[in-house]
Amino acid sequence: MTHTLLLYYLVFLLPTESCRTLYQAASKSKEKVPARPHGVCDGVCTDYSQCTQPCPPDTQGNMGFSCRKKTWHKITDTCRTLNALNIFEEDSHLVQPFEDNIKISVYTGKSETITDMLLQKCPTDLSCVIRNIQQSPRIPGNIAVIVQLLHNISTAIWTGVDEAKMQSYSTIANHILNSKSISNWTFIPDRNSSYILLHSVNSFARRLFIDKHPVDISDVFIHTMGTTISGDNIGKNFTFSMRINDTSNEVTGRVLISRDELRKVPSPSQVISIAFPTIGAILEASLLENVTVNGLVLSAILPKELKRISLIFEKISKSEERRTQCVGWHSVENRWDQQACKMIQENSQQAVCKCRPSKLFTSFSILMSPHILESLILTYITYVGLGISICSLILCLSIEVLVWSQVTKTEITYLRHVCIVNIAATLLMADVWFIVASFLSGPITHHRGCVAATFFVHFFYLSVFFWMLAKALLVLYGIMIVFHTLSKSVLVASLFSVGYGCPLAIAAITVAATEPGKGYLRPEACWLNWDVTKALLAFVVPALAIVVVNLITVTLVIVKTQRAAIGNSMFQEVRTIVRISKNIAILTPLLGLTWGFGVATVIDDRSLAFHIIFSLLNAFQGFFILVFGTILDPKIREALKGRVASAKRSSRISENASSELSCHPIKGPS
């Protein structure tokens, strides 16, 4: 009986195993394999060294380790229990007597052969492997075997995919899509396995034939719905509600096809949609991508005539405010692509996307950006610096009020101090609105408040730069044109038009052009959008252009004032112009450098160093204006000394007066 059974096995294995493989299996059954350690590498662990260890007993394959920081870390794992011998239900009970043979199973990697056997043994519904697959552990090697099997099935079967086959296919895929298997995808050597699975499921579903009744195949980690459509339908939607991780929490996803789109398709046609709650995390784990899928992944298999679909994603993470993007999976480049979808509407609970399905884009989702830097250092720098800046600006304005009459005796000095006062006032208002914006929890929950705060921050920060420009234009007026050709009132009106009119126009046009399409704000913060509409350019371009103009102005002043003679009747005013130019020469590079690093934080938003430098420079701008615009001005210091001396004289006079009154009391009538 034993010989007969052995002969049966040899005949059975011939289609799937080579003679060499059978010989190796027979040899292993005869000799005792010495126990070898698994999970711990022998030898000294030095950084970047690697080693390989055998898998635990009852599995075949090996594990790869890499040494990092004097500790071995597993990087690959091919351990598997599934193979051509035990994957079929009808054979699993026959192999038990050959314990030594089966404990170390043989898998040749010829998945096509297993697929052929599968189609021969259960061609109707592909169900003859389901039980053993479901009972197998979700270890990396088994996951890789099942992915290859599903891929081969999807390429081998071109027609005749009915609901029964789709049910079996989904059940097999559901086993490795289980949330408990996500971490094991990280160790599969072939990083392509996750998107091979996604592509295979979509390809197999594309061949599903829907007869009269809609298809609704629901598993825990994959849900397929399909139906036939015609041009006279009022619209079609598929609604999915699926459990996330191992909790009872469910998130929903919806695929909507409008009536206008349905009119474009020939009748009858069929549409199929598939929802995955875990494939996003699996893609992240296996491809090591630094993004987080924050909703279901929805696949849509549609007639080629359909050009637009709407997708509604309920967010998995609702508490954290991160930048949300609508994306499609690019099947050729194997990455998430923002070009496939457009954000239509968003709040803290859900996002609405409009996407364009095609051969390249079949699967869609929303991404939660991980690039928001959360640093206590940045927070402390910002708030401490802003506190110092605000106090400095208040002190600057107070000094200007005290010395105003002493330092504005000529027309040019009057206009200079008008510029200084407005630079300090606008920066003070910008800092105040910046703090207001920071207290708002974000554009998702406080959209109108964020729009208002962003508008005023944009306007007042621009005003700082335009008042610096007005100061430079004042210098050019004094140097290039004969003095006193315009009245003081005309010059003041011109300065205010430049300082407030230009930034108001830019800020108003920016919000009017971008806010109707929800492209004014960043999704994660109350500030101008960069990723979608590039609204931030409405601040960066004018600011940096003003920096260039001001530096050119300073250069012209240096050239012109070198020719000014000491005895010239305009010498005093020329000295004033030079003093203003020095002030511009110091403050303009500081402002330009500040926002230069601001641009750097946009380009490289992961660099903590850029964020710290920008926060330091930005937060202390008020202190710079106090020091370089007020305290270092000799005329202001002289005026302050005069005020202090006058105050001391007044104090002495009052003391003397009170002393005389006390020494010579007035006598009353006797």
Side-chain angles (χ1 to χ4, degrees), residues 89-165:
E89 291 181 14
E90 61 189 59
D91 305 314
S92 59
H93 66 282
L94 294 175
V95 297
Q96 296 304 322
F98 296 91
E99 294 181 4
D100 290 338
N101 266 354
I102 302 307
K103 284 184 179 179
I104 303 178
S105 304
V106 178
Y107 178 66
T108 65
K110 296 181 180 180
S111 304
E112 295 84 357
T113 305
I114 298 177
T115 305
D116 292 340
M117 292 173 62
L118 173 63
L119 297 179
Q120 292 171 14
K121 291 176 178 295
C122 48
T124 304
D125 57 6
L126 310 177
S127 61
C128 55
V129 295
I130 289 177
R131 189 180 68 180
N132 286 349
I133 285 177
Q134 288 182 319
Q135 292 175 352
S136 66
R138 300 180 187 89
I139 54 180
N142 282 349
I143 293 173
V145 169
I146 295 170
V147 168
Q148 192 63 46
L149 176 62
L150 291 171
H151 172 67
N152 291 334
I153 292 172
S154 69
T155 55
I157 301 179
W158 286 92
T159 58
V161 177
D162 55 13
E163 189 169 353
K165 284 189 177 72

Side-chain angles (χ1 to χ4, degrees), residues 270-288:
Q270 64 181 40
V271 295
I272 299 166
S273 187
I274 311 169
F276 306 87
T278 57
I279 192 70
I282 288 171
L283 286 166
E284 180 184 353
S286 58
L287 299 180
L288 305 177

Side-chain angles (χ1 to χ4, degrees), residues 476-497:
L476 286 177
Y477 168 76
I479 292 294
M480 307 297 292
I481 304 173
V482 179
F483 282 96
H484 312 306
T485 56
L486 295 175
S487 66
K488 183 190 289 187
S489 59
V490 172
L491 289 171
V492 170
S494 301
L495 292 177
F496 272 83
S497 297

Side-chain angles (χ1 to χ4, degrees), residues 319-330:
S319 59
E320 297 183 25
E321 294 202 9
R322 301 285 182 92
R323 181 176 58 192
T324 302
Q325 303 169 345
C326 296
V327 291
W329 182 259
H330 199 297

Side-chain angles (χ1 to χ4, degrees), residues 224-403:
T224 304
M225 299 175 71
T227 188
T228 56
I229 58 172
S230 58
D232 56 356
N233 289 131
I234 60 172
K236 189 65 189 174
N237 78 78
F238 299 102
T239 301
F240 302 93
S241 182
M242 305 191 76
R243 188 160 55 90
I244 298 298
N245 299 327
D246 299 316
T247 67
S248 58
N249 298 328
E250 292 187 344
V251 296
T252 60
R254 187 175 298 174
V255 179
L256 303 173
I257 308 172
S258 67
R259 184 174 185 175
D260 291 338
E261 285 293 321
L262 286 177
R263 287 173 180 165
K264 300 176 183 177
V265 301
S267 186
S269 298
Q270 64 181 40
V271 295
I272 299 166
S273 187
I274 311 169
F276 306 87
T278 57
I279 192 70
I282 288 171
L283 286 166
E284 180 184 353
S286 58
L287 299 180
L288 305 177
E289 288 201 346
N290 196 20
V291 294
T292 301
V293 176
N294 199 27
L296 298 177
V297 173
L298 300 177
S299 293
I301 299 159
L302 309 168
K304 62 181 180 180
E305 292 80 8
L306 282 176
K307 304 299 182 184
R308 289 286 184 272
I309 57 172
S310 296
L311 302 166
I312 302 176
F313 298 95
E314 181 183 356
K315 294 181 178 180
I316 298 171
S317 175
K318 301 178 177 68
S319 59
E320 297 183 25
E321 294 202 9
R322 301 285 182 92
R323 181 176 58 192
T324 302
Q325 303 169 345
C326 296
V327 291
W329 182 259
H330 199 297
S331 59
V332 174
E333 298 179 1
N334 300 313
R335 60 178 177 82
W336 292 113
D337 193 331
Q338 287 182 255
Q339 302 301 317
C341 296
K342 179 182 178 182
M343 179 76 73
I344 301 300
Q345 188 179 357
E346 182 188 16
N347 56 40
S348 60
Q349 302 296 313
Q350 66 180 23
V352 181
C353 307
K354 185 162 284 188
C355 302
R356 49 180 182 86
S358 64
K359 290 183 178 180
L360 290 179
F361 299 105
T362 304
S363 302
F364 308 93
S365 192
I366 53 173
L367 298 184
M368 184 172 65
S369 172
H371 301 325
I372 295 178
L373 291 175
E374 297 176 357
S375 171
L376 287 176
I377 297 174
L378 285 177
T379 303
Y380 289 140
I381 289 173
T382 300
Y383 285 106
V384 171
L386 280 175
I388 294 172
S389 184
I390 289 172
C391 292
S392 299
L393 292 168
I394 292 173
L395 181 58
C396 177
L397 292 171
S398 301
I399 291 172
E400 287 291 334
V401 170
L402 285 173
V403 301

Side-chain angles (χ1 to χ4, degrees), residues 393-451:
L393 292 168
I394 292 173
L395 181 58
C396 177
L397 292 171
S398 301
I399 291 172
E400 287 291 334
V401 170
L402 285 173
V403 301
W404 184 263
S405 58
Q406 283 81 23
V407 296
T408 57
K409 292 179 179 179
T410 65
E411 180 181 290
I412 196 72
T413 55
Y414 174 84
L415 295 174
R416 172 183 181 266
H417 285 278
V418 166
C419 292
I420 291 175
V421 166
N422 281 281
I423 289 171
T426 51
L427 184 56
L428 177 62
M429 294 304 298
D431 287 345
V432 170
W433 276 105
F434 183 90
I435 292 173
V436 171
S438 70
F439 278 106
L440 297 175
S441 59
I444 295 175
T445 54
H446 295 96
H447 184 78
R448 291 183 179 178
C450 269
V451 169

Side-chain angles (χ1 to χ4, degrees), residues 40-203:
V40 179
C41 289
D42 298 326
V44 179
C45 178
T46 58
D47 283 349
Y48 306 111
S49 60
Q50 296 184 349
C51 76
T52 302
Q53 289 290 294
C55 289
D58 301 331
T59 62
Q60 188 176 4
N62 54 63
M63 296 176 288
F65 293 84
S66 177
C67 181
R68 296 193 301 271
K69 296 180 179 180
K70 307 300 181 182
T71 305
W72 290 109
H73 296 271
K74 184 167 69 172
I75 55 174
T76 60
D77 187 333
T78 60
C79 300
R80 60 184 179 270
T81 60
L82 290 175
N83 56 70
L85 296 176
N86 61 12
I87 198 169
F88 296 98
E89 291 181 14
E90 61 189 59
D91 305 314
S92 59
H93 66 282
L94 294 175
V95 297
Q96 296 304 322
F98 296 91
E99 294 181 4
D100 290 338
N101 266 354
I102 302 307
K103 284 184 179 179
I104 303 178
S105 304
V106 178
Y107 178 66
T108 65
K110 296 181 180 180
S111 304
E112 295 84 357
T113 305
I114 298 177
T115 305
D116 292 340
M117 292 173 62
L118 173 63
L119 297 179
Q120 292 171 14
K121 291 176 178 295
C122 48
T124 304
D125 57 6
L126 310 177
S127 61
C128 55
V129 295
I130 289 177
R131 189 180 68 180
N132 286 349
I133 285 177
Q134 288 182 319
Q135 292 175 352
S136 66
R138 300 180 187 89
I139 54 180
N142 282 349
I143 293 173
V145 169
I146 295 170
V147 168
Q148 192 63 46
L149 176 62
L150 291 171
H151 172 67
N152 291 334
I153 292 172
S154 69
T155 55
I157 301 179
W158 286 92
T159 58
V161 177
D162 55 13
E163 189 169 353
K165 284 189 177 72
M166 192 70 213
Q167 176 68 73
S168 297
Y169 195 93
S170 296
T171 302
I172 296 170
N174 184 75
H175 181 68
I176 55 176
L177 287 168
N178 193 298
S179 57
K180 296 178 180 177
S181 71
I182 293 174
S183 60
N184 285 335
W185 284 82
T186 309
F187 303 113
I188 299 175
D190 185 1
R191 297 295 180 190
N192 303 335
S193 296
S194 55
Y195 60 77
I196 287 174
L197 174 64
L198 179 62
H199 177 73
S200 300
V201 173
N202 290 336
S203 297

